[in-house]
Amino acid sequence: MSIASPDPASLSDLTPRRRIWGWWAFDWASQPYFTLCLTFIFGPYFAAVATESFMAQGLAEQVADARAQSLWSLGQTVSGVIIALCAPILGAFADNTGRRMPWIVLFSAFYVLGALGIWVLLPDGSYLVMALVAFGIGLIGAEFTTIFTNSMLPELGDDSAIGKLSGNGFAWGYLGGVLALFIMLIFFAEGESGKTFVGLDPALGLDPAMREGTRFVGPFTAIWYVVFMIPFFLWMREVPRPATHGRFGAALSELWGTVKSLPKRTSLFAYLGSSMFYRDALNALYGFGGTYAVLVLNWSVTQVGVFGIVGAITAAVATWIGGKLDARHGPKPVIIGSIIVLIGVCLVVVGMTRESLWGIALVEGSAVPDITFYICGALIGGAGGVLQSASRSMMCRHALAGRPTEAFGLYALSGKATAFLGPALIGVTTYLTESARLGMVPLIGLFVLGLILIIWVRAEGELRV
């Protein structure tokens, strides 16, 4: 199988600035899947519906909460394993054929179809597993398209520009995510009263009794992606690269050669290990932040949405600033600082209940837990966004010339090889302790492991050959 390279003439009418804006369009288009579906709308809705379903089977509320969180973790675990197994192979094959756009189109279809499928989850728990499968398909599509678009970053500027480009891209993405969240909260997602956050009936005649406003998060995310990916496909055409091979066998052979060389490339090896742990912890924190608020603090979906807005706004501002710090000081100190902040957040979260904060009793009905968790949300959004942006920049500094997609495939592997670990540890710990709060404890250990391994990472990356 061989795929011809794009005509160089097709790039002649595209200025560097337009290509950059096209690349940023992907962040804007794709972020709502993580903001709306994973964390702030569908995740909490899934947890609430699953809990009610388990309680209807005769389980106590605390046990039902734990089972709901365990089921949500299972969906993310399975998706993570699939991504981990396939990402480096697809990346190597894309580099060998010289094409990435066909893969972006293919996995964009996964994204859209998976998002649309979320709609099927009814408030009585019908189609619970089907909705979880649909969510997993969409998540796989979102993660795989990100691999191929990330590999285009080195083509947009040199090392001195990459950090700022990455930071601005994430900032732009978070702005898109928070705007999408605003729209969902104002016009669609209904609270217990059947009204949206501003007191409106769900738009488009959606039935609040059937939670159609909240369930519309799936179709809304799919429509958002299709519309805002148009600038990407118009302006972010591929730089022509020669195809070396067109066979999976050849790609696997070269990939295996790269994997065998990792122990000799100390900085890259340490970075992949470090990012494996801290990104696993961060993704789990994103995935379970909303469900934690529902299960531990008894928040409504609307409250979780406000929490998401706070985090997304903070993330947009922080990643813009973080990109400037990355450009000036390099990504390593930015990564270290972000991890330390997130460890602090986790320590607060596991010590907080509706009645106390690390053993200090609170008066009944105290707003301290709510205010504290809103602050945690701001810190998670800010530090998490900066961490992702600087991590993308650091990976660019370790990518071999001519093999960027393979590099980001390995990067995805490092992020997903143990992607099951965070959700699985949360699921097992939650199941054993029967506490959704204590289930978050393992994330602290994962962040600490990432912080230790980054000691061996060279701040300037590795020389590319």
Side-chain angles (χ1 to χ4, degrees):
M1 173 183 174
S2 63
I3 305 175
S5 296
D7 184 354
S10 66
L11 297 171
S12 61
D13 60 337
L14 299 179
T15 64
R17 180 175 295 275
R18 183 168 291 185
R19 294 188 72 238
I20 289 171
W21 277 103
W23 186 76
W24 284 341
F26 172 77
D27 280 328
W28 175 280
S30 62
Q31 181 60 34
Y33 201 93
F34 302 99
T35 302
L36 302 183
C37 300
L38 176 63
T39 308
F40 298 118
I41 301 292
F42 179 70
Y45 172 65
F46 181 92
V49 170
T51 295
E52 290 295 328
S53 179
F54 286 128
M55 288 178 64
Q57 298 173 25
L59 296 179
E61 182 176 0
Q62 187 176 15
V63 177
D65 285 345
R67 293 286 176 88
Q69 184 160 287
S70 297
L71 182 61
W72 183 236
S73 73
L74 175 63
Q76 294 179 61
T77 299
V78 173
S79 300
V81 170
I82 293 172
I83 293 165
L85 292 175
C86 298
I89 299 173
L90 291 174
F93 184 70
D95 281 332
N96 280 2
T97 59
R99 299 298 305 277
R100 287 162 291 188
M101 280 298 185
W103 297 102
I104 293 173
V105 172
L106 173 63
F107 291 115
S108 290
F110 277 50
Y111 181 115
V112 172
L113 292 175
L116 289 172
I118 287 174
W119 168 263
V120 304
L121 180 56
L122 300 180
D124 65 358
S126 299
Y127 308 110
L128 189 68
V129 174
M130 184 183 298
L132 188 61
V133 170
F135 170 80
I137 291 172
L139 185 62
I140 289 169
E143 293 283 2
F144 278 156
T145 51
T146 300
I147 292 169
F148 294 104
T149 56
N150 277 349
S151 72
M152 295 175 170
L153 177 56
E155 301 167 5
L156 301 177
D158 57 22
D159 285 349
S160 63
I162 282 175
K164 186 176 179 180
L165 288 172
S166 181
N168 289 350
F170 266 106
W172 191 240
Y174 279 118
L175 284 175
V178 76
L179 177 59
L181 187 55
F182 263 122
I183 294 172
M184 276 298 304
L185 290 176
I186 292 172
F187 297 107
F188 298 104
E190 65 281 286
E192 294 180 0
S193 65
K195 303 289 186 179
T196 69
F197 180 65
V198 295
L200 299 176
D201 291 325
L204 305 179
L206 297 172
D207 184 1
M210 294 300 293
R211 301 300 303 274
E212 289 183 350
T214 298
R215 290 161 52 203
F216 186 65
V217 66
F220 175 81
T221 300
I223 294 168
W224 180 282
Y225 183 83
V226 170
V227 171
F228 291 112
M229 276 297 281
I230 293 173
F232 176 86
F233 288 116
L234 288 178
W235 298 338
M236 192 55 208
R237 300 172 204 165
E238 290 191 86
V239 173
R241 293 184 300 147
T244 56
H245 302 286
R247 303 186 307 276
F248 269 109
L252 284 172
S253 178
E254 293 194 15
L255 174 62
W256 178 239
T258 300
V259 171
K260 287 194 299 183
S261 73
L262 287 179
K264 299 177 182 178
R265 300 175 63 187
T266 305
S267 181
L268 174 60
F269 198 31
Y271 177 58
L272 290 175
S274 173
S275 67
M276 177 175 68
F277 290 116
Y278 73 66
R279 286 190 295 144
D280 190 15
L282 178 61
N283 289 334
L285 194 56
Y286 282 152
F288 289 91
T291 58
Y292 173 94
V294 170
L295 301 176
V296 176
L297 301 181
N298 301 317
W299 279 12
S300 67
V301 171
T302 302
Q303 285 177 293
V304 175
V306 175
F307 172 82
I309 289 174
V310 171
I313 291 175
T314 307
V317 175
T319 48
W320 178 73
I321 296 172
K324 291 181 177 296
L325 293 175
D326 186 333
R328 179 174 299 179
H329 303 292
K332 184 173 179 177
V334 178
I335 292 172
I336 291 172
S338 299
I339 293 175
I340 291 173
V341 170
L342 291 167
I343 289 174
V345 168
C346 288
L347 287 172
V348 172
V349 167
V350 299
M352 184 171 63
T353 68
R354 190 80 258 180
E355 297 78 27
S356 66
L357 180 60
W358 275 106
I360 301 174
L362 303 173
V363 298
E364 186 176 352
S366 172
V368 170
D370 302 306
I371 295 172
T372 301
F373 200 58
Y374 276 122
I375 294 172
C376 287
L379 292 173
I380 291 170
V386 171
L387 183 58
Q388 291 181 92
S389 172
S391 297
R392 182 163 66 179
S393 171
M394 179 66 86
M395 192 64 235
C396 287
R397 293 168 186 257
H398 286 81
L400 294 174
R403 309 290 300 173
T405 320
E406 178 186 82
F408 275 98
L410 289 172
Y411 179 66
L413 171 61
S414 75
K416 295 300 180 182
T418 58
F420 61 89
L421 188 58
L425 286 174
I426 289 176
V428 171
T429 307
T430 301
Y431 184 82
L432 293 176
T433 63
E434 296 188 347
S435 169
R437 175 177 60 87
L438 295 179
M440 306 294 282
V441 170
L443 300 188
I444 298 172
L446 293 177
F447 277 127
V448 170
L449 286 173
L451 196 58
I452 293 172
L453 286 173
I454 206 168
I455 294 172
W456 288 274
V457 178
R458 293 174 57 188
E460 69 277 14
E462 293 183 332
L463 293 177
R464 298 177 205 160
V465 294

